[in-house]
Amino acid sequence: MGTSGFSWKLEDHPKLPKGKTIALVVLDGWGEANPDKYNCIHVAETPTMDSLKTGAPDKWRLVRAHGKAVGLPTEDDMGNSEVGHNALGAGRIYAQGAKLVDSALASGKIYEGEGFKYIKECFDNGTLHLIGLLSDGGVHSRLDQLQLLLKGASENGAKRIRLHILTDGRDVLDGSSVGFVETIENDLSNLRAKGVDAQIASGGGRMYVTMDRYENDWSVVKRGWDAQVLGEAPYKFRNAVEAVKKLREDPKTSDQYLPPFVIVDESGNAVGPIVDGDAVVTINFRADRMVMVAKALEYEDFDKFDRVRVPKIHYAGMLQYDGELKLPSKYLVSPPEIDRTSGEYLVHNGVRTFACSETVKFGHVTFFWNGNRSGYFDASMEEYVEIPSDSGITFNVQPKMKALEIAEKARDAILSRKFDQVRVNLPNGDMVGHTGDIDATVVACKAADEAVKIILDAIEQVGGIYVVTADHGNAEDMVKRSKSGQPMLDKKGNIQVLTSHTLQPVPIAIGGPGLAPGVRYRKDVPDGGLANVAATVMNLHGFVAPSDYEPTLIEVVDN
Ligand SMILES: O=C(O)[C@@H](CO)OP(=O)(O)O
Ligand SMILES: [Mn+2]
Ligand SMILES: [Mn+2]
């Protein structure tokens, strides 16, 4: 860009002043839905969020947070944190991993790229291992993409394939793992009929095996390593359908938390440990929960746990998961090139930024916000604070999580006047919503609302501005519904609890004593989505957004 006259300098906004402290609050998993008893946000006492909605109608609105508005393939794709925070931070809509992988598979280009050529070098003498989330959730991976990759890899010469599956129950209904394993077993048996030695080698639940994030708990990744690489796990089965069914009964776990297991042959030997000369692909397109396992597979120097045996493999990610670390170095599909994010612009224009969340969402307001890039743009202008999350628990046990601590850090940052933008993610609605525990989710929503109040009070004290929004829905609907919106029951007559995100829009409220009197929402962006927020925030900092950003949501009228 340098040679084409590109400049980081943003133009001054013609009407809005600079120098106001802005609190930017993202309520994770906080959508807008009809009020009923499965809407935990409605059931919970949320006086602060309620007052934002009812107090200033021209400063509260809904924005789209799912499907095409955040770069996902279809309008049936629920929103998620990666695409949501990418859109919020980057101000533009990028075709996201899910869509890029779809295209690469459909055109066959995936098999012509460097990444595939690299793993293909192992096909003659080694095994191809595929590690990843087995569901059609579309947040981290998709079953149909795995099916196409299996077919394509075998057509391109893979003779021996081992799958290391992670069961879901978080982006899809709990219990659906059995059906997904049956489906993929059927595909593998078809491959075997064609002479490919293909089978499932290991498995485990996504929250307990492999898919930790932001270094919250390395033991999760270690459990996966032991099963996938070393072929060791506390549970051994002859086939994966039996494994999943049995482990759901005893030790009575959910799909998300299934313990690790390996598949063994008639002599009791693991059928697919990863050994020298093998190829490995992590099939998830989404970054956060693949970064840790990618480090374990790729880094020579690694001290997070004892890997015991480090096989010499050719490893590729479905995507490159971290653009700054270039991790992994080999990948099958190029990630979206998210550049010139609002964070980078604002730092270049003198906006001092503070960002904070607890571990499980820390990377959301930093890494995702900055276009899947780790680290600071300019350490002298930014401070990112991570509050350690509880680990080893499901969050319905501690539904308040660290909301209070996050709010207090934000309050202190605001009152210090050392920052122009104080950005937080409050995880409660989402993390507790994913447990499917409705009562706990109500407590979670109340805690998030209280945290918002603390931050808004601090903004009041410094004469600042607040922007309160969310990244996608979750807690506002906790039941699976029929097309007509009725709660659906299972065979026993119990409601089918929805642990996943939703397709709902999310609120965005602006206000505070520092907001110029004539600011209100425009009426001409009715379809506005999360990507419109970046330009809005740049305006509130006193700048005009770059011309290729999605339009601002606000206008300034003369009073
Ligand atoms: O926990 C996660 O990985 C996803 C759901 O799969 O949630 P979020 O997008 O809110 O991080
Ligand atoms: Mn989220
Ligand atoms: Mn979530």
Side-chain angles (χ1 to χ4, degrees):
M1 284 218 157
T3 51
S4 60
F6 171 75
S7 161
W8 285 109
K9 176 124 189 46
L10 295 170
E11 275 174 48
D12 294 341
H13 193 281
K15 294 186 176 165
L16 293 173
K18 298 192 173 42
K20 302 287 179 193
T21 308
I22 299 184
L24 193 39
V25 180
V26 181
L27 292 146
D28 212 295
W30 191 284
E32 179 76 6
N34 291 334
D36 74 9
K37 63 178 179 179
Y38 303 115
N39 179 338
C40 294
I41 298 171
H42 164 70
V43 175
E45 268 175 56
T46 53
T48 303
M49 290 302 288
D50 294 349
S51 72
L52 297 184
K53 181 174 177 180
T54 51
D58 59 353
K59 297 186 184 63
W60 184 97
R61 64 165 286 171
L62 296 174
V63 285
R64 295 159 69 85
H66 80 286
K68 295 184 178 172
V70 285
L72 291 170
T74 74
E75 293 304 278
D76 294 329
D77 288 303
M78 59 192 154
N80 72 70
S81 290
E82 179 176 54
V83 300
H85 287 78
N86 282 172
L88 284 165
R92 286 147 296 160
I93 301 166
Y94 286 89
Q96 285 286 352
K99 202 165 165 182
L100 298 171
V101 174
D102 282 345
S103 310
L105 284 164
S107 66
K109 289 225 168 79
I110 195 167
Y111 306 113
E112 292 159 20
E114 288 302 308
F116 192 81
K117 285 186 186 145
Y118 179 65
I119 58 161
K120 197 174 167 178
E121 288 167 16
C122 302
F123 287 179
D124 278 344
N125 301 311
T127 302
L128 169 63
H129 298 264
L130 304 176
I131 303 175
L133 185 65
L134 182 69
S135 83
D136 62 4
V139 173
H140 295 267
S141 68
R142 272 212 337 262
L143 173 70
D144 60 330
Q145 294 179 348
L146 171 62
Q147 292 174 307
L148 287 172
L149 185 62
L150 272 172
K151 182 168 175 286
S154 60
E155 285 168 2
N156 278 276
K159 300 182 187 69
R160 194 165 183 272
I161 303 176
R162 293 293 179 265
L163 246 53
H164 302 269
I165 60 166
L166 302 165
T167 52
D168 192 346
R170 188 173 178 90
D171 302 326
V172 290
L173 292 184
D174 182 45
S176 61
S177 61
V178 178
F180 291 121
V181 178
E182 284 169 349
T183 302
I184 208 74
E185 281 289 19
N186 189 40
D187 289 26
L188 295 171
S189 118
N190 290 340
L191 278 181
R192 287 196 291 274
K194 289 188 187 140
V196 183
D197 170 7
Q199 58 176 311
I200 293 176
S202 78
R206 57 175 284 177
M207 297 302 282
Y208 194 62
V209 177
T210 301
M211 282 174 60
D212 188 43
R213 63 179 166 202
Y214 309 140
E215 310 213 350
N216 190 44
D217 184 359
W218 275 101
S219 69
V220 174
V221 184
K222 178 182 176 351
R223 281 191 279 274
W225 181 273
D226 290 350
Q228 296 144 4
V229 178
L230 306 180
E232 289 166 10
Y235 295 95
K236 298 184 172 56
F237 290 91
R238 290 300 304 280
N239 86 68
V241 175
E242 185 198 345
V244 171
K245 281 187 180 160
K246 284 245 168 78
L247 292 174
R248 283 184 53 81
E249 293 303 321
D250 177 23
K252 199 132 192 69
T253 42
S254 59
D255 289 350
Q256 296 189 56
Y257 287 92
L258 232 55
F261 62 87
V262 290
I263 303 301
V264 293
D265 60 20
E266 61 278 4
S267 329
N269 295 321
V271 299
I274 300 174
V275 299
D276 285 354
D278 286 352
V280 177
V281 175
T282 43
I283 61 149
N284 291 14
F285 43 73
R286 174 161 152 175
D288 55 347
R289 295 189 184 276
M290 287 288 105
V291 165
M292 293 166 74
V293 62
K295 286 180 178 168
L297 288 165
E298 178 141 321
Y299 285 174
E300 261 177 52
D301 285 329
F302 178 87
D303 58 6
K304 303 301 181 184
F305 58 84
D306 181 4
R307 290 180 291 184
V308 181
R309 181 171 61 74
V310 185
K312 291 188 185 56
I313 54 170
H314 281 199
Y315 165 52
M318 183 64 103
L319 259 68
Q320 183 166 66
Y321 301 123
D322 187 323
E324 187 68 12
L325 301 178
K326 306 264 178 281
L327 179 80
S329 56
K330 299 284 196 300
Y331 45 92
L332 303 189
V333 177
S334 296
E337 281 177 43
I338 306 178
D339 62 354
R340 298 183 298 109
T341 59
S342 60
E344 191 162 10
Y345 268 112
L346 290 171
V347 157
H348 280 284
N349 286 273
V351 171
R352 301 159 303 165
T353 303
F354 178 90
C356 174
S357 190
E358 62 172 278
T359 312
V360 292
K361 296 286 179 185
F362 176 66
H364 288 35
V365 273
T366 55
F367 173 79
F368 283 155
W369 194 273
N370 295 333
N372 294 2
R373 182 189 184 284
S374 53
Y376 292 115
F377 295 112
D378 179 345
S380 72
M381 301 277 295
E382 297 164 276
E383 185 178 341
Y384 297 168
V385 172
E386 175 185 345
I387 296 172
S389 286
D390 294 319
S391 63
I393 59 159
T394 55
F395 287 101
N396 53 335
V397 183
Q398 298 281 11
K400 295 184 182 172
M401 300 183 68
K402 305 292 179 204
L404 180 63
E405 290 84 341
I406 295 167
E408 287 174 348
K409 280 274 187 270
R411 177 197 63 200
D412 294 348
I414 292 165
L415 297 182
S416 77
R417 297 180 191 260
K418 285 199 296 202
F419 301 100
D420 306 294
Q421 181 178 115
V422 172
R423 186 167 76 227
V424 298
N425 175 301
L426 296 170
N428 309 63
D430 183 68
M431 293 301 287
V432 187
H434 279 306
T435 67
D437 182 332
I438 293 177
D439 293 339
T441 307
V442 171
V443 178
C445 293
K446 181 166 186 276
D449 189 77
E450 286 165 359
V452 175
K453 172 148 189 359
I454 292 170
I455 297 168
L456 266 43
D457 285 349
I459 283 297
E460 192 69 32
Q461 283 187 52
V462 300
I465 299 171
Y466 59 77
V467 178
V468 181
T469 189
D471 60 340
H472 52 76
N474 185 336
E476 80 288 355
D477 199 5
M478 297 290 291
V479 69
K480 186 171 165 64
R481 294 179 189 272
S482 65
K483 284 226 163 67
S484 63
Q486 293 309 309
M488 286 168 69
L489 304 180
D490 64 17
K491 284 179 206 134
K492 293 180 190 147
N494 299 318
I495 59 144
Q496 295 196 40
V497 175
L498 192 74
T499 53
S500 70
H501 301 164
T502 69
L503 302 172
Q504 295 301 117
V506 299
I508 176 165
I510 51 173
L515 189 68
V519 172
R520 65 176 189 196
Y521 282 133
R522 296 162 58 170
K523 297 266 184 311
D524 56 350
V525 244
D527 292 330
L530 293 177
N532 299 79
V533 175
T536 310
V537 172
M538 282 176 165
N539 292 170
L540 297 173
H541 279 298
F543 299 104
V544 175
S547 56
D548 62 342
Y549 269 42
E550 291 296 319
T552 179
L553 298 170
I554 55 170
E555 61 186 4
V556 190
V557 290
D558 297 324
N559 282 17

